[in-house]
């Protein structure tokens, strides 16, 4: 029992000394900076442009042939691509003659990765913003078109009303002429108040139009021209207007012809009566 206790007291310090020496003198490489290669096969949290720039700086000493073979295009890597360093052995023909030169070159290998939920959310937000922008542009164009049509209608109305007024050199005044037209229309309604409905509606209109063409000929000419422009948009109405106008003009012409014939007959009758009377007077003498 005493020997066992003595043995434990001597062996325990010896064992502790061996363990401390093993830990202290174990060969290990101490890095002053982070190692160039990744020691743990873990995916990086962020894939930004700083890693790409660092890899390009490492790949700068490579030859033009190796770079052209590794990167066929000069386009930068997309956000969904991850750049990883890789070593490519130099061919035997291009091997360095000196043993101190490096026999490997560093190139950049592009490896695609699946889009993250953040990327998908960003793409959906982009689509939503584009949709809202398109709808806003559509609404803005519709409002601008409506305002342009309203302004054009207002300008057309004002220019049309201004074109109906008589010119200054014509000497025609609207104010007394309009009063005369209203008085003529009221007189027609008074005259035909005891007649049928058709006559009571036609008499004021006929007397008013007659007075307007009499006292405001220039203004009525402008109004008739404007009405004709609107009638030409409807061919049936324009044709009916032309036929009616031709009929009225033909009736007026025939009335004038018959009036001239009647006047001639009256003149001839009066002349014959006067000649007969003069003959009787001569015979009486």
């Amino acid at each position: 029992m005493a020997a066992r206790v003595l043995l434990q007291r001597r062996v325990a310090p010896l064992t502790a000394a061996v363990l401390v020496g093993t830990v202290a003198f174990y060969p290990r490489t101490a890095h002053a900076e982070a190692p160039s290669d990744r020691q743990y096969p873990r995916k990086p949290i962020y894939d930004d442009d700083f890693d790409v720039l660092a890899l390009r700086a490492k790949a700068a000493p490579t030859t033009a042939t190796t770079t052209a073979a590794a990167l066929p295009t000069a386009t930068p890597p997309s956000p969904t691509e991850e750049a990883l360093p890789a070593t490519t052995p130099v061919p035997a023909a291009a091997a360095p003659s000196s043993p101190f030169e490096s026999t490997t070159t560093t190139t950049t290998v592009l490896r695609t990765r699946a889009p993250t939920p953040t990327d998908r959310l960003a793409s959906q937000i982009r689509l939503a913003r584009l949709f809202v922008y398109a709808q806003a542009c559509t609404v803005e164009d519709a409002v601008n078109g409506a305002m342009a049509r309203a302004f054009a209608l207002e300008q057309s109305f004002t220019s049309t009303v201004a074109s109906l007024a008589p010119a200054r050199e014509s000497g025609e005044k609207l104010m007394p002429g309009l009063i005369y037209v209203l008085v003529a229309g009221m007189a027609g309604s008074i005259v035909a108040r005891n007649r049928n409905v058709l006559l009571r509606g036609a008499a004021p209109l006929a007397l008013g139009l007659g007075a307007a063409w009499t006292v405001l000929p220039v203004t009525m000419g402008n109004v008739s021209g404007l009405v004709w422009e609107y009638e030409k948009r409807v061919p049936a109405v324009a044709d009916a207007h032309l036929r009616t106008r031709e009929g009225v003009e033909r009736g007026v012409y025939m009335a004038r012809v018959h009036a001239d014939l009647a006047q001639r007959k009256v003149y001839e009758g009066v002349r014959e009566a006067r000649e007969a009377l003069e003959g009787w007077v001569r015979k009486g003498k």
Side-chain angles (χ1 to χ4, degrees), residues 136-146:
C137 290
T138 303
V139 173
E140 183 180 1
D141 294 340
V143 172
N144 292 336

Side-chain angles (χ1 to χ4, degrees), residues 226-280:
L226 178 62
V227 172
W228 173 246
E229 291 295 331
Y230 283 107
E231 286 181 354
K232 287 193 297 185
R233 299 180 181 180
V234 184
V237 177
D239 294 339
H241 186 190
L242 289 177
R243 288 194 298 269
T244 304
R245 183 176 180 179
E246 290 177 358
V248 172
E249 290 179 353
R250 186 178 302 171
V252 171
Y253 174 74
M254 295 302 295
R256 288 179 179 178
V257 170
H258 287 86
D260 292 340
L261 291 176
Q263 186 177 5
R264 289 179 183 178
K265 289 182 179 181
V266 171
Y267 286 162
E268 290 178 357
V270 171
R271 183 172 58 81
E272 291 177 357
R274 186 178 61 183
E275 290 178 355
L277 183 59
E278 289 178 354
W280 291 343

Side-chain angles (χ1 to χ4, degrees), residues 21-145:
T22 303
V23 172
F25 295 100
Y26 180 77
R28 179 180 297 176
T29 303
H31 297 282
E33 297 178 354
S36 59
D37 297 332
R38 296 178 180 175
Q39 296 180 356
Y40 304 98
R42 299 177 61 184
K43 186 177 180 180
I45 299 177
Y46 301 102
D47 294 331
D48 50 6
D49 296 337
F50 296 100
D51 295 337
V52 177
L53 293 177
L55 293 175
R56 288 183 179 177
K58 292 180 180 180
T62 58
T63 59
T65 305
T66 308
T67 305
L71 296 175
T73 59
T75 57
S78 62
T80 59
E81 295 179 350
E82 181 181 1
L84 295 177
T87 58
T88 303
V90 179
S97 58
S98 176
F100 298 99
E101 295 181 1
S102 176
T103 58
T104 59
T105 57
T106 304
T107 58
T108 303
V109 179
L110 301 179
R111 187 179 65 185
T112 59
R113 62 180 179 85
T116 61
T118 304
D119 296 336
R120 290 194 293 268
L121 178 61
S123 63
Q124 295 298 326
I125 292 175
R126 175 178 177 274
L127 294 177
R129 291 181 63 186
L130 290 177
F131 175 76
V132 172
Y133 176 74
Q135 296 300 321
C137 290
T138 303
V139 173
E140 183 180 1
D141 294 340
V143 172
N144 292 336

